[in-house]
């Protein structure tokens, strides 16, 4: 007999999985404990997820979809490069600060082999296509130097995520108190834009 699916139960399972991973890491996520925390039977979990890996992949897909939607707010692929990059920085920073647990999970998930399963599925999605158009236009308009995607990402976004990481910890690399300000973000963005110009 097939059991009924209840999306509220699925959402509760995913919510408790996220909390557990943030508090105890991936190794701390057991299906038995998760079922208890979510108030369902272990058998109920398997109505929605084939196994633990499937649960983790679906959790990442849900949050990645939300994240992509968030970073695309107000972004037009036809924008000039500086305005578009500033929009992306604002959106990315806003998301990470408002959703620290989700950002924590997503960052750590990218270091797992499961990440590549998701990347294959989302390759060529609307967000990726819009980002690609934005970058290609900037190169055509001579606002951005052509470079491998890994170099582009490292220069364009890694400085922002470093600042956000220190902000989350509350200390910089020297162990001194740190709070990210708009001025600091603007200064870093200005240096990034300068580095990316042809």
């Amino acid at each position: 007999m097939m059991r009924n699916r209840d999306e509220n139960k699925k959402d509760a399972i995913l919510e408790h999985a996220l909390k557990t991973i943030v508090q105890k890491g991936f190794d701390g996520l057991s299906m038995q404990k998760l079922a208890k925390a979510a108030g369902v039977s272990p058998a109920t979990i398997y109505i929605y997820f084939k196994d633990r890996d499937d649960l983790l992949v679906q959790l990442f897909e849900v949050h990645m979809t939300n994240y992509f939607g968030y970073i695309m707010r107000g972004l037009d692929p036809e924008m000039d490069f500086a305005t578009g990059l500033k929009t992306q920085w604002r959106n990315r920073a806003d998301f990470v600060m408002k959703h620290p647990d989700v950002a924590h999970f997503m960052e750590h998930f990218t270091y797992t082999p499961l990440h590549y399963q998701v990347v294959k599925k989302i390759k060529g999605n609307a967000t990726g296509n819009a980002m690609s158009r934005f970058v290609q236009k900037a190169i055509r308009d001579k606002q951005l130097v052509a470079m491998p995607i890994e170099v582009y990402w490292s220069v364009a976004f890694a400085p922002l995520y470093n600042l956000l990481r220190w902000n989350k910890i509350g200390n910089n690399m020297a162990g001194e108190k740190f709070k990210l300000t708009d001025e600091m973000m603007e200064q870093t963005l200005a240096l990034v834009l300068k580095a990316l110009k042809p």
Side-chain angles (χ1 to χ4, degrees), residues 55-70:
L55 185 150
L56 291 170
V57 165
Q58 287 193 48
L59 180 62
F60 185 78
E61 286 176 338
V62 164
H63 289 300
M64 184 55 75
T65 300
N66 292 339
Y67 178 60
F68 281 164
Y70 207 97

Side-chain angles (χ1 to χ4, degrees), residues 2 42 68-69 80 96 138 163 170 190:
M2 186 151 176
F68 281 164
D80 70 273
V96 169
L163 291 171

Side-chain angles (χ1 to χ4, degrees), residues 174-188:
E176 298 161 345
K177 292 281 181 212
F178 179 84
K179 181 155 179 54
L180 181 57
T181 64
D182 284 345
E183 292 77 23
M184 222 177 276
M185 209 154 83
E186 291 284 344
Q187 181 184 21
T188 309

Side-chain angles (χ1 to χ4, degrees), residues 32 70 152 164 172:
Q32 196 76 28
Y70 207 97
Y152 169 71
L164 290 167
N172 65 16

Side-chain angles (χ1 to χ4, degrees), residues 14-30 33-34 37:
L14 289 173
E15 183 183 328
H16 285 284
L18 178 67
K19 284 181 189 170
T20 302
I21 292 164
V22 169
Q23 291 169 2
K24 300 178 181 175
F26 287 99
D27 291 341
L29 181 67
S30 87
K33 289 178 184 172
L34 176 58

